[in-house]
Amino acid sequence: MSVILECSGLTKSYGKNEAVRHLNMTLEENTIYGLLGRNGAGKTTLLNMITGGIFPTSGLIEVSGSHLERGELPPETCYIRENNLYWRGARVIEILQFASAFHPHWDWPFAKDLLNTFKLNPSKKIRQLSRGMESLVGNIIGLASRARLTIYDEPMLGLDVLIREKFYRILVEDYANYPRTIVLSTHLIDEIAKVVESVYIMDAGTILLHDDVDHIREYSHVLTGSSEAVKQFTSDKLVIYNEIYGKGTLSALYGALGDKDRVQANKLSLTIEGLTLQKFFSYLVEGGRRIE
Ligand SMILES: Nc1ncnc2c1ncn2[C@@H]1O[C@H](COP(=O)(O)OP(=O)(O)OP(=O)(O)O)[C@@H](O)[C@H]1O
């Protein structure tokens, strides 16, 4: 698969605070990515840099092999921000008309279907919309743009669970028909686990892990048992988090476990369970371990 965007050694400092630190990231064609991180992890700063909104303090951004110049939006990119800057007096349809001018693959019949599906009145002014409806305007633009690279920063703000599920379903269906690269930056990790193929987990301005969701599912485990047994079992494994309770220990592991491991765990009276993406994320970030 070909690379459409690559960052290397990307850093953004605000005074002494490095919001993004020596970050490397590669986005490939036709993949849905999740960008996951706690509040303040640096997600918006990273997205603003790769879409030309703010300038890196150092490091490189390459789009389809060419350097992204200062202030330049990568070609065929649609960036739906967390805090959109729509003109409050404009009508929904006017915002869509404006957006359509920037996106060569814009699909009007699809945009109109989406307005119907989400029951969004195109004549309403932005200032008359609820927070959730305003998010929907951005979500519809992101979908109808069919941009080669679509980036959503917290697209679910203010949306109820039924609308979120509908959005994910339409996104996945449309992606199947029109493959492209989509980045979803969100806190709603378990929800997007069903949608994204690959994730970047970010903390304190840096990437802790980049991996495919299926691989994470296969590799992430939590182990509980006596502290002595856990210590023995994990001596040759990658432990991302430890929690001691009484005489027992809980350890979160990252790596494949084979039949031999399971037999050994059984002998040591250890319990092994898989982890949801949300739980894996929490352990990884709490443990602060970076996995190359
Ligand atoms: N313009 C700015 N001036 C100074 N510091 C900033 C600025 N923008 C961001 N920061 C700092 O950079 C860090 C990363 O912020 P950023 O908004 O990128 O995080 P985030 O992961 O998007 O968080 P959230 O999920 O809460 O939106 C934070 O410590 C934040 O305070």
Side-chain angles (χ1 to χ4, degrees):
M1 245 188 283
S2 64
V3 170
I4 68 166
L5 189 139
E6 185 154 27
C7 312
S8 33
L10 205 60
T11 296
K12 178 70 189 178
S13 306
Y14 292 108
K16 284 190 180 152
N17 177 20
E18 283 187 332
V20 170
R21 293 189 286 136
H22 310 289
L23 183 143
N24 300 325
M25 185 171 82
T26 304
L27 299 181
E28 291 186 339
E29 236 176 9
N30 305 339
T31 308
I32 307 185
Y33 290 93
L35 176 62
L36 314 177
R38 295 194 281 202
N39 292 124
K43 304 179 297 296
T44 300
T45 306
L46 169 65
L47 298 181
N48 283 339
M49 280 192 284
I50 64 178
T51 52
I54 57 173
F55 311 133
T57 306
S58 58
L60 287 179
I61 303 169
E62 278 190 343
V63 180
S64 305
S66 312
H67 288 311
L68 190 72
E69 297 302 329
R70 282 171 78 91
E72 189 188 3
L73 181 73
E76 292 192 52
T77 297
C78 182
Y79 180 27
I80 306 299
R81 295 157 179 275
E82 183 181 17
N83 295 313
N84 55 57
L85 305 168
Y86 306 134
W87 178 46
R88 322 255 346 127
R91 296 183 194 281
V92 170
I93 193 71
E94 291 166 343
I95 297 292
L96 297 194
Q97 279 160 349
F98 184 73
S100 71
F102 293 92
H103 299 294
H105 304 296
W106 182 271
D107 184 331
W108 267 116
F110 184 38
K112 286 181 182 164
D113 273 358
L114 291 167
L115 287 170
N116 277 333
T117 305
F118 290 112
K119 299 186 173 52
L120 197 58
N121 180 346
S123 313
K124 277 213 171 175
K125 293 190 172 167
I126 297 295
R127 66 163 164 263
Q128 297 171 313
L129 302 181
S130 66
R131 183 66 190 89
M133 287 164 149
E134 224 180 296
S135 290
L136 276 175
V137 176
N139 292 1
I140 291 174
I141 293 172
L143 286 168
S145 73
R146 298 249 171 82
R148 186 164 171 242
L149 172 60
T150 305
I151 299 177
Y152 286 104
D153 193 4
E154 287 296 347
M156 302 306 159
L157 277 183
L159 296 179
D160 67 56
V161 64
L162 293 179
I163 295 189
R164 297 204 299 268
E165 278 171 5
K166 209 179 259 184
F167 172 73
Y168 296 133
R169 188 172 44 72
I170 295 172
L171 180 97
V172 169
E173 274 172 20
D174 196 58
Y175 169 76
N177 294 325
Y178 299 91
R180 54 224 202 239
T181 302
I182 299 173
V183 178
L184 293 165
S185 170
T186 180
H187 295 108
L188 301 171
I189 298 173
D190 272 342
E191 283 187 13
I192 61 135
K194 291 168 268 172
V195 177
V196 301
E197 298 165 281
S198 184
V199 292
Y200 278 94
I201 296 181
M202 203 173 166
D203 195 48
T206 193
I207 302 293
L208 292 183
L209 172 80
H210 169 220
D211 209 343
D212 290 344
V213 172
D214 288 345
H215 201 241
I216 294 176
R217 234 176 244 129
E218 189 192 328
Y219 266 41
S220 55
H221 303 94
V222 65
L223 187 75
T224 42
S226 79
S227 297
E228 198 42 51
V230 169
K231 196 172 162 196
Q232 192 181 328
F233 184 83
T234 57
S235 61
D236 59 349
K237 302 197 169 44
L238 176 55
V239 175
I240 59 168
Y241 177 81
N242 266 321
E243 196 177 300
I244 293 165
Y245 56 92
K247 287 185 180 148
T249 293
L250 172 155
S251 276
L253 311 179
Y254 197 67
L257 294 182
D259 291 344
K260 243 171 88 186
D261 293 310
R262 292 188 188 270
V263 169
Q264 191 199 4
N266 218 5
K267 273 193 198 147
L268 293 166
S269 304
L270 295 171
T271 309
I272 301 177
E273 285 173 80
L275 286 170
T276 61
L277 185 60
Q278 170 77 63
K279 206 65 204 157
F280 171 73
F281 167 85
S282 305
Y283 286 140
L284 185 71
V285 169
E286 275 296 308
R289 176 114 199 201
R290 191 169 165 177
I291 305 175
E292 298 289 346

